[in-house]
Amino acid sequence: MLRSMTGFGTGRGVAGDEEVVVEVKSVNHKFCEVKVRLPRELAALETALVRRIKDRVARGSLDVTVKRSSRGAVGLVPVVDAGLAKEYRRAFAELAAATGVPDTTTVKELAGLPNVLKLEEPAVDLAKVSTALDSAVDQSLAALEVMRTTEGRAIEKDLLGRLDRGEVAGLGQGGERL
């Protein structure tokens, strides 16, 4: 049975608050070439993802797009540099002692000093994302295989029909060489 080299598959995986959607597009290529686009925070998973795909697909140029969303995540979260805040407090206490001026610094004032509070992306639970990613990849590759097989059957039917009608150059009825 023929299988086409072109196809598309999509899959969705969920683990806890993490949701991953994977889209795979495939076109003809002599070898198996996998190009992955994934969110920056998932870069550590790229090598395992490519290996997982190559274990299931022998040939083709595959474009893989990974999209992640987290139901519990917010855009950015404040992160405290407690060590720097303590150093500011130490410096203020030293300055107060040296000048005889009372140190009345509030937490709010301390938080407003450079680099004490930073806004960062929340940490990603790579184990949960990896579980969701595995499920999404399996689904997308299964859908890709179905599309490749369906298209392969159509190509095979078309070629056999052309052979029977003698439409293929260099071949006669039934496919014998001229």
Side-chain angles (χ1 to χ4, degrees):
M1 170 179 46
L2 289 178
R3 276 200 323 241
S4 174
M5 295 297 293
T6 61
F8 176 81
T10 187
R12 177 181 167 270
V14 177
D17 287 345
E18 297 291 341
E19 180 178 1
V20 176
V21 174
V22 174
E23 295 177 349
V24 179
K25 298 175 189 172
S26 174
V27 295
N28 190 19
H29 195 275
K30 188 174 184 179
F31 304 105
C32 183
E33 179 184 16
V34 179
K35 294 172 259 167
V36 178
R37 285 181 215 83
L38 48 107
R40 179 177 36 89
E41 69 269 18
L42 303 184
L45 302 176
E46 183 173 355
T47 302
L49 174 60
V50 170
R51 184 175 33 247
R52 185 178 185 87
I53 292 169
K54 285 187 173 186
D55 285 347
R56 299 233 344 236
V57 179
R59 287 187 57 200
S61 177
L62 289 91
D63 286 318
V64 181
T65 302
V66 177
K67 298 175 186 169
R68 171 191 167 255
S69 62
S70 181
R71 288 175 268 172
V74 293
L76 297 173
V77 295
V79 177
V80 176
D81 186 336
L84 181 59
K86 287 178 185 176
E87 285 302 312
Y88 274 122
R89 287 295 303 130
R90 181 199 56 74
F92 293 159
E94 183 181 320
L95 183 61
T99 62
V101 177
D103 180 5
T104 59
T105 307
T106 66
V107 170
K108 188 175 182 179
E109 292 169 336
L110 196 58
L113 294 170
N115 300 316
V116 172
L117 280 180
K118 298 177 192 171
L119 293 177
E120 295 180 359
E121 292 180 6
V124 175
D125 185 341
L126 286 180
K128 282 184 182 177
V129 173
S130 183
T131 299
L133 181 62
D134 287 347
S135 176
V137 167
D138 288 345
Q139 290 175 30
S140 64
L141 291 178
L144 174 70
E145 182 63 26
V146 167
M147 184 175 265
R148 282 177 148 190
T149 300
T150 301
E151 190 171 327
R153 284 188 187 126
I155 291 169
E156 183 176 30
K157 182 179 176 183
D158 180 60
L159 287 174
L160 291 174
R162 289 172 188 254
L163 281 172
D164 287 344
R165 291 186 304 273
E167 294 177 9
V168 178
L171 298 177
Q173 292 283 47
E176 68 274 1
R177 289 211 169 270
L178 296 175

